[in-house]
Amino acid sequence: MNGPLIQARERLSASRRVAVLTGAGISAESGMPTFRGADGLWRDFRPEQLATPEAFSRDPKLVWEWYDWRRERVARCVPNAGHLALARLEHRHGAVTLVTQNVDGLHALAGSLQPVEMHGNIWKARCTACHRVAEDRRVPIPIPPACGICGGMLRPHIVWFGESLEGEVLERAFGAFEYCDVALIVGTSGQVQPAASLAGVARQNGAFVIEVNREPTPHSALADVSLMGAAGDILPRLIPE
Ligand code: OAD
């Protein structure tokens, strides 16, 4: 085992509070495409055509078709060794907050107790009329789907570009990174705010920052240790059974 991995492992076992941030990279080995990589979703699709409130007002059917396609893909995925290692850390350590930008729900499926889902969840829909949020696991989903309570049109319960994150979600995410002594940043390109600021907040408050990614990112410069490789390979070695 190499030096940086040993150092990161020791820091993690000696830590009092851990904050974890994950991005699309942790689900890549489960079969979910990332957004910005060579096979990333944003190479074939333009975010402004599919992941903005304007796109939904213009063409709700198109937006729902895209989410239906992604839901169908997520439904076929299972958590990988990386998700399972993080769930293990959470259960064993007792003071871990897991924050994810992913909407696929795979952390919860792996056994993480209360992941902070910054960008929402692909299995939830929200009524555009009465604003009720409800779980909806229909695959395929009737397009466009209607609210069971008021009949209004449902939209995916996802934070789109140009929309604000919920206050409580922001508080939980920023609180976790402000007060942690070890921050673990996994599989994110660090290009989307406000998630991209979390590692810096931890660093400013004296935390030890560990990055796990297949390639260098803007986080690499501030990380104390950058572990380059696949999350499904590195995380089980960082958090052994
Ligand atoms: P990106 O697609 O921007 O970045 C994925 C990162 O994962 C890259 O840095 C890859 O190098 C890394 N990666 C790929 N495979 C990996 C593996 N097996 N192990 C470790 N790392 C790997 O995804 P995010 O940073 O999550 O927003 O993107 C942030 C947000 O942009 C998403 O939440 C989404 C998107 O627009 C919304 O849907 C609102």
Coordinates of all heavy atoms in Angstrom, one line a residue, residues 191-237:
Q191 N -16.9 21.6 -10.5 CA -17.2 22.7 -11.4 C -18.5 23.3 -11.1 O -18.9 24.3 -11.8 CB -17.2 22.2 -12.9 CG -15.8 21.6 -13.2 CD -15.5 21.7 -14.7 OE1 -16.2 22.4 -15.4 NE2 -14.6 20.9 -15.1
V192 N -19.3 22.7 -10.3 CA -20.7 23.2 -10.0 C -20.8 23.7 -8.6 O -20.5 23.0 -7.6 CB -21.7 22.1 -10.3 CG1 -23.1 22.6 -10.0 CG2 -21.7 21.7 -11.8
Q193 N -21.2 25.0 -8.5 CA -21.4 25.6 -7.2 C -22.8 25.3 -6.7 O -23.7 25.1 -7.5 CB -21.2 27.1 -7.3 CG -19.7 27.5 -7.6 CD -18.8 27.2 -6.4 OE1 -19.2 26.8 -5.4 NE2 -17.5 27.4 -6.7
P194 N -23.1 25.3 -5.4 CA -22.1 25.6 -4.3 C -21.3 24.4 -3.9 O -20.4 24.6 -3.1 CB -23.0 26.1 -3.2 CG -24.3 25.4 -3.4 CD -24.5 25.3 -4.9
A195 N -21.6 23.2 -4.4 CA -20.9 22.1 -3.9 C -19.4 22.2 -4.1 O -18.6 21.8 -3.2 CB -21.3 20.8 -4.7
A196 N -18.9 22.9 -5.1 CA -17.5 23.0 -5.4 C -16.8 23.8 -4.3 O -15.6 23.8 -4.2 CB -17.3 23.7 -6.8
S197 N -17.5 24.6 -3.5 CA -16.9 25.4 -2.4 C -16.6 24.6 -1.1 O -15.9 25.0 -0.2 CB -17.7 26.6 -2.0 OG -17.9 27.4 -3.2
L198 N -17.3 23.4 -1.0 CA -17.3 22.7 0.3 C -15.9 22.3 0.8 O -15.5 22.5 1.9 CB -18.2 21.5 0.3 CG -19.7 21.8 0.1 CD1 -20.5 20.6 -0.2 CD2 -20.2 22.5 1.4
A199 N -15.1 21.8 -0.2 CA -13.7 21.4 0.2 C -12.9 22.6 0.7 O -12.2 22.5 1.7 CB -13.0 20.7 -1.0
G200 N -13.1 23.7 0.1 CA -12.3 24.9 0.5 C -12.8 25.4 1.9 O -11.9 25.8 2.7
V201 N -14.0 25.2 2.2 CA -14.5 25.6 3.5 C -13.9 24.7 4.6 O -13.4 25.2 5.6 CB -16.1 25.5 3.6 CG1 -16.6 25.6 5.0 CG2 -16.8 26.5 2.7
A202 N -13.8 23.4 4.3 CA -13.2 22.5 5.2 C -11.7 22.9 5.4 O -11.2 22.9 6.6 CB -13.3 21.1 4.7
R203 N -11.0 23.1 4.4 CA -9.6 23.4 4.4 C -9.3 24.7 5.2 O -8.5 24.7 6.1 CB -9.1 23.6 2.9 CG -7.6 23.7 2.8 CD -7.1 22.3 2.8 NE -5.6 22.3 2.6 CZ -4.8 22.5 3.6 NH1 -5.2 22.7 4.9 NH2 -3.5 22.4 3.4
Q204 N -10.2 25.7 5.0 CA -10.0 27.0 5.7 C -10.2 26.8 7.2 O -9.6 27.6 8.0 CB -11.1 28.0 5.2 CG -10.6 28.9 4.1 CD -11.8 29.5 3.4 OE1 -12.9 29.7 4.0 NE2 -11.7 29.9 2.1
N205 N -11.0 25.8 7.6 CA -11.2 25.6 9.0 C -10.3 24.5 9.5 O -10.5 24.0 10.6 CB -12.7 25.2 9.2 CG -13.6 26.4 9.0 OD1 -13.7 27.3 9.9 ND2 -14.2 26.6 7.9
G206 N -9.2 24.2 8.8 CA -8.2 23.4 9.3 C -8.3 21.9 9.1 O -7.6 21.1 9.6
A207 N -9.3 21.5 8.3 CA -9.5 20.1 8.1 C -8.5 19.5 7.1 O -7.9 20.2 6.3 CB -10.9 19.8 7.5
F208 N -8.3 18.2 7.3 CA -7.4 17.4 6.4 C -8.2 17.0 5.2 O -9.3 16.4 5.4 CB -6.8 16.2 7.1 CG -5.8 15.5 6.4 CD1 -4.4 15.9 6.4 CD2 -6.1 14.3 5.7 CE1 -3.5 15.1 5.7 CE2 -5.1 13.6 5.0 CZ -3.8 14.0 5.0
V209 N -7.8 17.3 4.0 CA -8.7 17.1 2.8 C -8.1 15.9 2.0 O -6.9 16.0 1.6 CB -8.9 18.3 1.9 CG1 -9.7 18.0 0.7 CG2 -9.5 19.5 2.8
I210 N -8.9 14.9 1.7 CA -8.5 13.8 0.9 C -9.4 13.8 -0.4 O -10.6 13.9 -0.3 CB -8.8 12.4 1.7 CG1 -8.1 12.4 3.0 CG2 -8.4 11.2 0.8 CD1 -8.6 11.3 4.0
E211 N -8.7 13.7 -1.5 CA -9.5 13.6 -2.8 C -9.3 12.2 -3.4 O -8.2 11.7 -3.4 CB -9.0 14.7 -3.8 CG -9.8 14.6 -5.1 CD -9.3 15.5 -6.1 OE1 -8.1 15.7 -6.3 OE2 -10.2 16.1 -6.8
V212 N -10.4 11.7 -3.9 CA -10.4 10.4 -4.7 C -11.0 10.7 -6.0 O -12.1 11.1 -6.1 CB -11.1 9.3 -4.0 CG1 -11.1 8.0 -4.8 CG2 -10.6 9.0 -2.6
N213 N -10.2 10.6 -7.1 CA -10.7 10.9 -8.4 C -9.8 10.2 -9.4 O -8.6 9.9 -9.2 CB -10.7 12.4 -8.7 CG -11.6 12.8 -9.8 OD1 -11.5 12.3 -10.9 ND2 -12.6 13.7 -9.5
R214 N -10.3 9.9 -10.6 CA -9.6 9.3 -11.7 C -8.5 10.3 -12.3 O -7.6 9.8 -12.9 CB -10.5 8.9 -12.8 CG -11.0 7.5 -12.6 CD -11.7 7.1 -14.0 NE -12.4 5.8 -13.9 CZ -11.8 4.6 -13.9 NH1 -10.5 4.5 -14.0 NH2 -12.5 3.5 -13.8
E215 N -8.8 11.6 -12.1 CA -7.9 12.6 -12.7 C -7.8 13.8 -11.8 O -8.7 14.0 -10.9 CB -8.4 12.9 -14.1 CG -9.8 13.4 -14.2 CD -10.3 13.4 -15.6 OE1 -10.1 12.5 -16.4 OE2 -11.0 14.4 -15.9
P216 N -6.8 14.7 -12.0 CA -6.7 15.9 -11.2 C -7.9 16.8 -11.5 O -8.4 16.8 -12.6 CB -5.4 16.5 -11.7 CG -4.7 15.5 -12.4 CD -5.7 14.5 -12.9
T217 N -8.3 17.5 -10.5 CA -9.4 18.5 -10.6 C -9.0 19.8 -9.9 O -7.9 19.8 -9.2 CB -10.7 17.9 -9.8 OG1 -10.4 18.0 -8.4 CG2 -11.0 16.5 -10.2
P218 N -9.9 20.8 -9.9 CA -9.5 22.0 -9.1 C -9.4 21.7 -7.6 O -8.7 22.5 -6.9 CB -10.8 22.9 -9.3 CG -11.3 22.4 -10.6 CD -11.1 20.9 -10.7
H219 N -9.9 20.6 -7.1 CA -9.8 20.2 -5.7 C -8.4 19.8 -5.4 O -7.9 19.8 -4.2 CB -10.7 19.1 -5.3 CG -12.2 19.6 -5.2 ND1 -13.2 18.9 -5.8 CD2 -12.7 20.6 -4.5 CE1 -14.3 19.5 -5.5 NE2 -14.1 20.6 -4.7
S220 N -7.7 19.2 -6.4 CA -6.4 18.6 -6.1 C -5.4 19.6 -5.5 O -4.6 19.2 -4.7 CB -5.8 18.0 -7.4 OG -6.8 17.3 -8.1
A221 N -5.5 20.8 -5.9 CA -4.5 21.8 -5.4 C -4.7 22.1 -3.9 O -3.7 22.4 -3.2 CB -4.7 23.1 -6.2
L222 N -5.9 21.9 -3.4 CA -6.1 22.2 -2.0 C -6.1 20.9 -1.1 O -6.1 21.0 0.1 CB -7.3 23.1 -1.7 CG -8.7 22.6 -2.1 CD1 -9.2 21.7 -1.0 CD2 -9.6 23.8 -2.2
A223 N -6.1 19.8 -1.8 CA -6.2 18.5 -1.0 C -4.8 18.2 -0.4 O -3.8 18.5 -1.0 CB -6.6 17.4 -2.0
D224 N -4.9 17.7 0.8 CA -3.6 17.2 1.5 C -3.1 16.0 0.8 O -1.9 15.7 0.7 CB -3.9 17.0 3.0 CG -4.2 18.3 3.7 OD1 -3.3 19.0 4.0 OD2 -5.4 18.6 3.9
V225 N -4.1 15.1 0.4 CA -3.7 13.9 -0.3 C -4.7 13.7 -1.4 O -5.9 13.8 -1.3 CB -3.9 12.7 0.7 CG1 -3.8 11.4 0.0 CG2 -2.8 12.7 1.8
S226 N -4.1 13.4 -2.6 CA -5.0 13.1 -3.8 C -4.7 11.7 -4.2 O -3.6 11.3 -4.5 CB -4.6 14.0 -5.0 OG -5.3 15.2 -4.9
L227 N -5.8 10.9 -4.1 CA -5.6 9.5 -4.4 C -6.2 9.3 -5.8 O -7.5 9.4 -6.0 CB -6.3 8.6 -3.4 CG -5.8 8.8 -2.0 CD1 -6.7 8.0 -1.0 CD2 -4.4 8.3 -1.8
M228 N -5.4 9.0 -6.8 CA -5.9 9.0 -8.2 C -6.2 7.5 -8.6 O -5.4 6.6 -8.5 CB -4.8 9.5 -9.2 CG -4.5 11.0 -9.0 SD -5.9 12.0 -9.6 CE -6.0 13.2 -8.3
G229 N -7.4 7.4 -9.0 CA -7.9 6.0 -9.4 C -9.4 5.9 -9.3 O -10.1 6.9 -9.0
A230 N -9.9 4.7 -9.5 CA -11.3 4.5 -9.4 C -11.8 4.4 -8.0 O -11.2 3.8 -7.1 CB -11.7 3.2 -10.2
A231 N -12.9 5.1 -7.7 CA -13.5 5.1 -6.3 C -13.8 3.7 -5.8 O -13.6 3.3 -4.7 CB -14.8 5.9 -6.3
G232 N -14.2 2.8 -6.8 CA -14.6 1.4 -6.4 C -13.4 0.6 -6.0 O -13.5 -0.4 -5.4
D233 N -12.2 1.1 -6.4 CA -11.0 0.4 -6.0 C -10.3 1.0 -4.8 O -9.9 0.4 -3.9 CB -10.0 0.5 -7.2 CG -8.6 0.0 -6.9 OD1 -8.5 -1.0 -6.2 OD2 -7.6 0.6 -7.3
I234 N -10.3 2.4 -4.8 CA -9.6 3.1 -3.7 C -10.4 3.1 -2.4 O -9.8 2.9 -1.3 CB -9.2 4.5 -4.2 CG1 -8.2 4.4 -5.3 CG2 -8.7 5.3 -3.0 CD1 -7.6 5.7 -5.7
L235 N -11.7 3.4 -2.5 CA -12.4 3.5 -1.2 C -12.4 2.3 -0.3 O -12.2 2.3 0.9 CB -13.9 4.0 -1.5 CG -14.0 5.5 -1.9 CD1 -15.4 5.8 -2.3 CD2 -13.4 6.4 -0.9
P236 N -12.5 1.1 -0.9 CA -12.5 -0.1 -0.1 C -11.1 -0.3 0.6 O -10.9 -0.9 1.6 CB -12.7 -1.3 -1.0 CG -13.5 -0.7 -2.2 CD -12.9 0.7 -2.3
R237 N -10.0 0.3 -0.1 CA -8.7 0.2 0.6 C -8.5 1.2 1.6 O -7.8 1.1 2.6 CB -7.6 0.3 -0.5 CG -7.6 -0.9 -1.4 CD -6.3 -1.1 -2.2 NE -6.3 -0.2 -3.3 CZ -5.2 0.4 -3.8 NH1 -4.0 0.2 -3.2 NH2 -5.2 1.1 -4.9

